[in-house]
Amino acid sequence: MSPRDLPIYELESPIIASLRSRGRLIVQAPTGSGKSTQLPQMLLRHGLLDGGQVVVLQPRRLAARLLAKRVAEEVGAPLGDVVGYQIRLESRLSERTRIRFVTEGILLRQMSFDPQLRGVAAVVFDEFHERHLYGDISLARAIQIQQTTRPDLKIVVMSATLDTGSLKDYLGPCDLLVSEGRSFSVDIEYLPKPVNFDNEPVWEAAARECARIAGRVDGDMLVFMPGAYEIGRTVQAIQGDRTLRDFAVLPLHGELPPEQQDRAVARYDTRKIIVSTNVAETSLTIDGVTAVIDCGLARVARYDPHRGINTLLIEKISAASADQRAGRAGRTAPGVCVRLWTEREHAQRPRQELPEVKRLDLSEVVLTLKASGIDDVAGFPWLEKPDPKALERAEGLLADLGAIIGSAGVPPATHSTAAGTTVLPLRKITEVGRKMLRFPVHPRYARMLLEADARGCVRAVALMAALTQGRNFLLRAASRDVEDAREDAFGEEHESDFFILMRAWRHADKVNYSLEACRRLGIHSQAARQVGPLFEQFLEIAEKEGLDVSERRVDGAEICKCVLAGFSDHLAKRLDTGTLRCELVHGRRGVLARESAIQKAPLFAAAEVSEIEGRGGEVNVLLSLATAIQEPWLKELFPADYTEATGVVYDESAKRVIARRERRFRDLVLEAKASADDVPLNEAAAILTQLVLAGKLKLEAWDEAVEQWITRVNRLAEWFPELEVNPLTEADRATLIEQVCYGETSYKGIREKPVMPILRDWLTAEQLAVLDQYLPERLTMANGRRSRITYHKEGPPVLSARIQELYGVDGRFTLGHGRVPVKIEVLAPNQRPIQVTDDLGAFWREMYPKIKTELSRRYPRHEWR
């Protein structure tokens, strides 16, 4: 079939017209319609590139290369000429390249180093429904670039299945073009009962089903497996089945050499069985496939909070992915899809995959945005906004790694969300952060590799990085026999659990991952086998960036410093030697894993921090894969975060002020020493004063009489300004309390300490005499009795006296030579007020006759005149 017969050509005219008029376009077309290979050629043929390139984003490296190869063949030019590709660690490009297939991270990095995308006329986002994080971010950046410096830039978003409503709103104004494509019916078959892949390996189940349906269908078969190892075992199992000996069995995955990848998609005279990862799910159309065997598994990228990194682990695929895989069997004729799970299990699968922005650590993409000058990442026009906590966590990690730093004088960015208002400080990328971006790995390992380059241990750190990407292959909770065998094989270790893992992997590699030899040491052979290719990848990355990857003897301490550089936010301090309890930076607590080899280390960095729910819903934090850290290293690597300070604090248990000397790394107290000696008296007095003012400590002698004295002084200053008495303000009150506390360091010393002698020193001797003369505490009545006077902050003084004490007293009362009138509070024998008056004469004439009878009846033993 000629490429011109592909369904996408039904849309050729509207595609070109739309891009000429609007510059943005969504194309929805099923797999096999030709959109990935033909649309870039349409742009080239119709002159929409204007001498520039069309960059086609592909989620996977293998698809980018194979698509480039196919398009190069169709345009009749060698690969790397008019059509080329660029993926991590590999590219085939030239100055003549007009159609460039790339993986998503490549374009985003280009945007960070060249915000104008010079030489790029159009960007095509292929297979966008997979919602890869870098695809989302690259699209948002492309829109920003188009709206600012490059209004001529063309943007096309393509997929087989899309939520076109929300995407069209996001891209608007833009057109949406839909191609129905051409496909045949596919019969879906499920297994009658669940398969336990631990008992029957997935490759054996797949080979069995291939043999079962081989005679029922014409054409080729496509088998989906999650990774390279499973593909290799499946190929072996199929080749070992006599009923399938006439088939050519070909693997297809990203780790194969290009020539082997090409063989898998080439046409053969004999029938073939392609065993592929999910690269064949959407991006590539493999002609002649009429049967699909789907294991239902794939490697899914997720953020692992235990290790603080993104992982790529085997999981069950969603129902939508299963439908995409099944559709591969109906491109050229009716087909069949056998799913290696039951129909009941299928109903329990999620409908769609979560977008990566919802399930990946964002630190790497945040760093890339910062490099592009976008400091306010929360305000970035995300297609789907991430959780504000995820952004905060990403920026916190980058700050800990030294990749970003707060911008002095720049106000924080405030963003409203459904959960409330989020405030993030604006942080800019540092020179270290820019260097880290050179490495297409997680920022933790980019930081470790930079440190390793300075310390001559790149190979060791590359291996450590590879060891942490998959599941732990060194089985935990091993038997005593296995523990003894490990001790004999690996020796003792006190520096890092990483070193045990490294020895274990080297042993497994040496015995060629023999199941028996690995089982004896509790090594998961399959998981260990997957470390090697990752190790080689990390070494290639390091070497490409100019790092020295040669073998050399390295001091273990230098390697441990590299771990600290990447995991400083996981620094932990043992709380005591009797338990495994620890404190971590950022106010967390945890327990060191019992199997850790560094249980005697007072300080360590944990590469894994796992939250495990215990009884009653209690969450226990387990710290594992630990590396012993020496305190001087903290000051060496993070001088700004390491502090030594002397302070004075109040010890609640001892009820006294103590001197406290401490060393800190960020908010983690490394060591604190307390002493009751040599406490500066002025600092002790200030602390005790604050506690008294806060009501946490009480001066027994500071009673109501003291408060009355202060009020008298303040009213004297108010009523008689000519005496030049200074009123006592709240600040003065604090000063007086501090004077009371001065010379003492404990609560016992101030609790019953006299107060009035210090207060009386506030006034001169003359002012004290005037105070008692003008505003006395008591007043002598005409009958010789002394009655108490209460002074208030506002209003006149009040003289309180029982009614019998006032017999014979008449008229009005004043103080201060008649300038301050006094109210009289007349009390019953039970000390309750009867009347408040400023004229006793009027009280005796008008009120007393009315109440005398009732009072004499109630209190017959008292005198009533």
Side-chain angles (χ1 to χ4, degrees), residues 328-637:
R328 287 305 189 176
R331 293 298 163 217
T332 56
V336 61
C337 172
V338 178
R339 291 174 173 166
L340 301 184
W341 63 94
T342 66
E343 192 167 6
R344 184 174 182 180
E345 288 174 317
H346 186 76
Q348 297 169 351
R349 295 195 172 216
R351 281 303 310 158
Q352 300 278 352
E353 286 287 351
L354 267 180
E356 284 189 347
V357 73
K358 296 289 189 182
R359 55 183 163 92
L360 285 186
D361 168 45
L362 302 177
S363 55
E364 190 172 355
V365 78
V366 165
L367 187 62
T368 307
L369 290 176
K370 299 273 185 186
S372 302
I374 300 169
D375 297 321
D376 180 13
V377 292
F380 182 71
W382 303 85
L383 173 56
E384 188 163 350
K385 281 194 175 294
D387 185 340
K389 287 289 184 186
L391 280 179
E392 188 178 343
R393 182 178 63 217
E395 291 212 342
L397 172 58
L398 292 173
D400 286 341
L401 294 173
I404 61 174
I405 193 169
S407 305
V410 180
T414 304
H415 301 279
S416 297
T417 65
T421 300
T422 301
V423 180
L424 289 175
L426 289 182
R427 290 164 160 170
K428 292 182 176 292
I429 190 169
T430 63
E431 189 57 35
V432 169
R434 293 193 184 278
K435 288 180 181 177
M436 287 165 57
L437 266 183
R438 291 162 38 202
F439 301 92
V441 295
H442 190 277
R444 286 190 188 277
Y445 294 103
R447 180 69 180 87
M448 287 174 65
L449 285 168
L450 284 177
E451 197 66 34
D453 189 40
R455 300 183 183 279
C457 52
V458 172
R459 288 192 74 87
V461 169
L463 177 54
M464 293 164 78
L467 288 167
T468 59
Q469 301 305 299
R471 290 189 173 91
N472 190 347
F473 61 80
L474 200 59
L475 303 179
R476 291 170 176 166
S479 67
R480 183 70 253 176
D481 290 344
V482 169
E483 292 287 355
D484 291 342
R486 284 180 182 175
E487 192 170 332
D488 291 341
F490 308 148
E492 287 192 7
E493 178 55 49
H494 303 291
E495 286 188 287
S496 177
D497 292 331
F498 270 113
F499 294 168
I500 294 285
L501 269 184
M502 293 163 82
R503 290 174 205 153
W505 178 75
R506 288 191 177 107
H507 176 86
D509 188 57
K510 185 177 179 181
V511 300
N512 199 27
Y513 308 100
S514 158
L515 287 175
E516 184 54 40
C518 287
R519 187 180 296 116
R520 192 173 64 85
L521 294 175
I523 296 173
H524 193 289
S525 172
Q526 180 183 341
R529 184 188 297 272
Q530 294 167 359
V531 172
L534 288 169
F535 179 31
E536 293 301 323
Q537 278 188 8
F538 280 118
L539 286 177
E540 288 175 19
I541 292 168
E543 190 171 22
K544 184 173 181 289
E545 294 302 331
L547 274 58
D548 182 3
V549 298
S550 60
E551 289 272 11
R552 60 170 69 185
R553 189 170 183 83
V554 183
D555 183 2
E558 297 301 299
I559 302 174
C560 293
K561 289 178 185 178
C562 297
V563 176
L564 173 62
F567 290 91
S568 64
D569 58 319
H570 287 182
L571 183 74
K573 181 193 76 168
R574 293 282 297 279
L575 288 174
D576 50 62
T577 56
T579 71
L580 297 174
R581 296 182 305 125
C582 306
E583 267 184 334
L584 290 87
V585 291
H586 303 318
R588 297 167 294 173
R589 288 206 169 195
V591 178
L592 178 61
R594 293 192 178 278
E595 65 268 18
S596 175
I598 61 150
Q599 295 191 6
K600 294 181 181 179
L603 272 180
F604 64 88
E608 293 185 9
V609 180
S610 310
E611 290 187 352
I612 301 170
E613 189 171 342
R615 295 177 181 176
E618 179 185 3
V619 176
N620 300 312
V621 179
L622 185 66
L623 311 176
S624 52
L625 201 52
T627 298
I629 300 299
Q630 296 180 26
E631 189 174 325
W633 302 349
L634 302 174
K635 192 172 184 178
E636 178 187 347
L637 269 70

Side-chain angles (χ1 to χ4, degrees), residues 685-686 689 699 702 732-744 750 753-755 757-762:
T689 299
L699 298 174
W702 196 293
D732 296 328
R733 180 188 293 263
T735 300
L736 289 168
I737 293 174
E738 191 164 355
Q739 290 181 17
V740 173
C741 296
Y742 188 80
E744 308 295 338
I750 67 170
K753 192 171 183 178
V755 171
I758 291 173
L759 264 66
R760 293 177 71 83
D761 283 345
W762 185 262

Side-chain angles (χ1 to χ4, degrees), residues 692 697-710 737 740 747 749-759:
V692 170
L697 300 181
K698 180 176 174 58
L699 298 174
E700 300 290 351
W702 196 293
D703 54 13
E704 182 57 32
V706 170
E707 292 293 343
Q708 271 294 293
W709 189 87
I710 293 173
I737 293 174
V740 173
Y747 180 39
I750 67 170
R751 183 175 180 178
E752 297 179 355
K753 192 171 183 178
V755 171
M756 280 309 301
I758 291 173
L759 264 66

Side-chain angles (χ1 to χ4, degrees), residues 7 191 210 297 463 538 679 691 700 791 862:
L191 296 186
C210 284
L297 303 172
L463 177 54
F538 280 118
V679 176
L691 292 169
E700 300 290 351
Y791 295 86
H862 291 265

Side-chain angles (χ1 to χ4, degrees), residues 287-329:
D287 294 334
V289 172
T290 56
V292 166
I293 310 296
D294 185 2
C295 73
L297 303 172
R299 292 195 177 275
V300 178
R302 291 192 188 279
Y303 174 65
D304 183 351
H306 304 164
R307 284 172 282 180
I309 59 172
N310 290 326
T311 62
L312 197 61
L313 301 179
I314 295 175
E315 297 183 12
K316 294 178 180 178
I317 62 171
S318 67
S321 291
D323 290 343
Q324 288 275 10
R325 292 181 176 187
R328 287 305 189 176

Side-chain angles (χ1 to χ4, degrees), residues 78-99:
L79 183 60
D81 189 79
V82 176
V83 183
Y85 67 90
Q86 186 178 7
I87 60 180
R88 191 175 72 176
L89 305 177
E90 185 184 343
S91 67
R92 293 282 296 275
L93 301 171
S94 69
E95 293 181 356
R96 296 179 299 280
T97 301
R98 308 292 299 282
I99 299 175

Side-chain angles (χ1 to χ4, degrees), residues 129-140:
H129 70 278
E130 294 192 21
R131 296 300 307 281
H132 287 246
L133 176 58
Y134 275 97
D136 279 15
I137 304 302
S138 300
L139 176 60

Side-chain angles (χ1 to χ4, degrees), residues 111-123:
M111 290 171 166
S112 66
F113 296 119
D114 179 13
Q116 294 194 15
L117 283 182
R118 285 168 293 191
V120 176
V123 182

